[in-house]
Amino acid sequence: MQLDDVPSLDVKLSDISIGTSAAPSLLPPYYFKDGDNEFHLVDGGIAAGSPSLVAVSEVVQELNEKISHFIPVNPNKPIKVVLLSLGCGRGEPALRLDARDARFLSFNQWVPVLAIDLAAAAADINEYHLASVFPDLPSSHNYYLRVEEYNLDSTIGGSWDQDLLQL
């Protein structure tokens, strides 16, 4: 949606999909070139763990600006937004710590705990915000489907080629 401001972002959807799927230790970083522009994509989840929320925000901005080339808007009819979100799986749930034990953890022991919990929290808050845009009501004109694997194999993480086959 930002192509008017940043035309260099007008790249192939396949490159965007592969690049935003990069995840250190699971899926390899992705490099591609479009004209004179180089893209070095290492992890799609750092800025937006679920790009769905970013996509919905872009659509809402375009609708609010009533940009005619985006979607013809009839003020007398509700606008239908349909979103399909494909997840890459969720592994083990966030770590649970006993507060009596956690008070003795060093900084280095907290780092992996925080990394896991922050990622889980980001995913949960994305789902919360998307639920407000896509209420589960029969009268809603918006539709949202999230496809996610909750029994992800925790042994994935050895080699990128093997990991892709296992996924």
Side-chain angles (χ1 to χ4, degrees):
M1 304 297 169
Q2 300 176 7
L3 293 180
D4 292 338
D5 299 328
V6 188
S8 64
L9 295 178
D10 191 9
V11 297
K12 292 180 184 175
L13 182 58
S14 59
D15 287 325
I16 293 169
S17 299
I18 295 168
T20 58
S21 298
S25 80
L26 290 178
L27 300 171
Y30 185 64
Y31 166 84
F32 70 96
K33 191 170 181 175
D34 186 65
D36 293 334
N37 300 310
E38 291 186 350
F39 295 84
H40 302 267
L41 306 174
V42 177
D43 186 351
I46 288 190
S50 171
S52 303
L53 190 57
V54 176
V56 169
S57 296
E58 289 289 327
V59 168
V60 169
Q61 287 177 30
E62 293 286 326
L63 291 172
N64 285 340
E65 293 175 15
K66 296 181 177 48
I67 296 175
S68 60
H69 71 270
F70 178 62
I71 295 176
V73 177
N74 180 341
N76 298 324
K77 291 186 177 179
I79 295 169
K80 182 187 292 187
V81 177
V82 178
L83 175 64
L84 172 64
S85 176
L86 302 175
C88 60
R90 286 196 178 190
E92 299 291 322
L95 296 175
R96 300 288 177 233
L97 294 176
D98 185 311
R100 295 167 292 190
D101 296 332
R103 64 187 177 143
F104 298 111
L105 294 179
S106 69
F107 175 78
N108 289 339
Q109 291 170 315
W110 272 109
V111 171
V113 173
L114 292 174
I116 292 169
D117 284 349
L118 286 173
D124 291 344
I125 203 71
N126 278 332
E127 291 299 316
Y128 170 80
H129 286 295
L130 286 168
S132 69
V133 175
F134 298 96
D136 192 18
L137 302 172
S139 63
S140 175
H141 297 284
N142 300 323
Y143 300 94
Y144 170 58
L145 175 62
R146 172 78 175 171
V147 178
E148 187 75 78
E149 172 60 50
Y150 285 93
N151 296 312
L152 192 61
D153 183 355
S154 62
T155 62
I156 293 178
S159 93
W160 290 327
D161 292 336
Q162 267 183 320
D163 295 341
L164 287 172
L165 290 173
Q166 287 181 7
L167 286 173

